[in-house]
Amino acid sequence: MPEGPSLVILKEQTAPFVGQEIVRAEGNTWAIDTARLIGQPVVALRTWGKHFLIQMPTMVVRIHFLLFGTYRVNERRDKPPRLSLGFADGGELNFYACSVKEIDCDIDAYYDWAADVMSDAWDPALARKKLRGAPDTLACDALLDQDIFAGVGNIIKNEVLFRIRIDPRSRVGALPPAKLRALVQEARQYSFDFLEWKKAFTLKKHWLAHNQKICPRCHIPFHKANLGKTNRRSFWCERCQKLHE
């Protein structure tokens, strides 16, 4: 699943389409009438967490990449796209295995931009307040809660918890104030590190915990399990990541 930083890269790659008219719209989506897109100019391309937003004068199309969604800019995969858009300059944008939805309201009222870890409007104090309001939530679930950390996915979750030495099974309410602050701070910091490394094609080289077998600090095997309500894979070291219960 593309995480928030990957969608920021997509927004940058597709910036040339802003201001252009959509001249072709098709795909195997049933959620929107693709014919309505033809002739509309792209007013803006925005992201919120893991949502990619194509803003037009009369509607906004939201793309959610789910677990296996992908995209191609000015090229195609060898499978039918969920949504394919052609532009006046001959360029095209193709989305696969994703959710397509129309938003017919003001997206500034629809989305809480302060919850987006990649946004200039990100509010760490609000994130801490939301965490304090969910004391029984496991740390591994809290980081994947898009209402608190929009854009954070499983890679960022594992790396953040390793950085700040917290066992993913820890309860949020049991975290000392300094660790709670560190959780919020590192969720944003690692997201921007992720963005930098992704652009440089070196992201995997920087993984310390995610998908790794041995703790680089303690040199003992990581534990691996699907944890929490989200049931996503977690990697942690029982020696240097403390369990707060």
Side-chain angles (χ1 to χ4, degrees), residues 15 20 27 38 60-61 65 72 93 101 119 122 131 146 152 168-169 192 195 204 214-215 221 243:
Q20 288 201 52
I38 297 174
V60 176
V61 172
F65 289 94
R72 295 290 185 274
L93 183 53
K101 178 181 178 181
S119 173
W122 161 253
L131 288 170
Q146 299 302 291
V152 168
R169 300 167 297 173
F192 279 90
L195 177 63
K204 290 185 179 181
I214 303 295
C215 173
L243 177 61

Side-chain angles (χ1 to χ4, degrees), residues 213-225:
K213 295 181 179 179
I214 303 295
C215 173
R217 283 194 293 249
C218 303
H219 308 290
I220 61 175
F222 273 123
H223 286 274
K224 180 177 75 172

